Amino acid sequence: MSAATPTTLAEFEASARQKATAFAWSYLSRPGEDGQTHTDNRRAFKRYRLIPRNLRDVYIRDTSVTILGTKLDFPVAIAPTATHLLFHPEAELTTARGAASMNTLMVLSSWSHHSLKQVAEAAPRGVRWFYMLFYRDRGRMKRLLERAERAGYAAIVLTADQPFFTFSFRKVATTLPLDFRFPNIYLDDNPPGPLGSLELAEYFKKTVKEAATWEDVEWVKKNTRLPVVLKGILSVDDAKMAVRLGIDAILVSNHGGRQLDGVPATIDVLPDIVGAVGGEAEVYLDGGVRTGTDVLKALALGARCVFIGRPALWGLAYNGAEGVQQVLKILKDELSLAMARAGKYI
Ligand SMILES: Cc1cc2nc3c(=O)[nH]c(=O)nc-3n(C[C@H](O)[C@H](O)[C@H](O)COP(=O)(O)O)c2cc1C
Ligand SMILES: CCCCCCC(=O)C(=O)O
């Protein structure tokens, strides 16, 4: 490892900033409104304290975890994030290779430059879930669910906290600086115009269903054989509703502070949600996870696994698949050491 290689996620953030374009960096870093929730996600982790149990035999530690029936080497996975092409020329193919090299999971965003199949073929041994948008046409949703199943995706992720996109469709269609494609949105359609065209903005508006409801979630659950994960839950009542609908897992998330500003830090609401779910669904967390002790705290408070959003993109921007691998490895090694020092959760 060269002296310049970052050794913490904070160093990765600083190094990635040097490499990413100004447009990519501002998109990645953007918090919602004042950034209150974004800041809280990090600060909240630092309010919790770990009480170690010492002099236990912690020489050998097992960081592995099984989520929705799939074993991962450690409980840190990659959350769905849009437009990896902004950060690396091989976009999601590269991220998938990085995740697979660490035997962990990547959630592919619908806003990806590569199709479900291309990403699966790029890292055939990797584990993948698919974050699916809601569409006005249920036939389109059905086709997408079938494609995800056929391409070997192991779960469908639905995002509950984004009734409207922060980017207007017009802005997406007119400001992305590269030759973006969105094959998992276009499906068999020919995009009605190039990026930059108002026709494309209109197409997004007509095709994607904003302001989805529980009824849409229920429809997805009934129309796929895959487990369904509901991402963006912060309230006990919504968690209970998800359980009533038979949702397989809940990802406690505030979208990395990019949606409604002023909502609580995810780690603060996690214990109540774990309590309310009562083992009826798996519970995960994302938002502000940056160190091994953050991971340990989330596990101690009941999360089965955590997800990272921005840090994976820092790795991608800094050094492609190897960068993603390095970011994941830092978290794995820090977690393993924290487990030893805590003498617990092994
Ligand atoms: C650049 C970027 C793009 C994102 N795109 C999506 C997306 O397409 N779908 C989604 O459900 N969440 C999306 N998210 C939210 C992440 O899945 C995740 O909830 C969040 O990044 C976790 O917080 P962290 O960045 O502090 O780790 C995005 C986040 C970022 C930073
Ligand atoms: C280029 C389309 C971006 C869609 C929104 C992705 C997202 O969820 C985000 O937080 O950004």
Side-chain angles (χ1 to χ4, degrees), residues 316-343:
L316 184 65
Y318 178 71
N319 197 15
E322 216 175 297
V324 174
Q325 181 190 54
Q326 286 162 340
V327 161
L328 290 167
K329 186 164 183 335
I330 287 170
L331 286 174
K332 182 182 177 193
D333 291 348
E334 286 182 354
L335 170 64
S336 178
L337 188 59
M339 281 164 57
R341 288 173 171 160

Side-chain angles (χ1 to χ4, degrees), residues 31 34-44 257 261:
D34 279 349
Q36 183 187 8
T37 298
H38 176 60
T39 307
D40 278 356
N41 274 348
R42 288 294 306 129
R43 287 202 180 139
D261 198 25

Side-chain angles (χ1 to χ4, degrees), residues 27-28 30 80-83 86 109 111 131 133 159 161-162 164-169 171-173 176 180 182 185 204 231 255-256 258-259 310:
Y27 170 56
L28 175 148
R30 174 185 61 78
T81 50
T83 62
L86 282 175
S109 171
W111 299 100
Y131 151 61
L133 291 167
T159 292
D161 61 10
Q162 198 170 32
F164 291 98
F165 295 95
T166 310
F167 275 104
S168 70
F169 289 125
K171 201 163 176 196
V172 170
L176 284 175
F180 270 86
F182 293 113
I185 297 178
F204 283 138
K231 172 176 185 282
H255 217 104
R258 291 161 77 84
Q259 285 298 305
R310 295 176 183 86

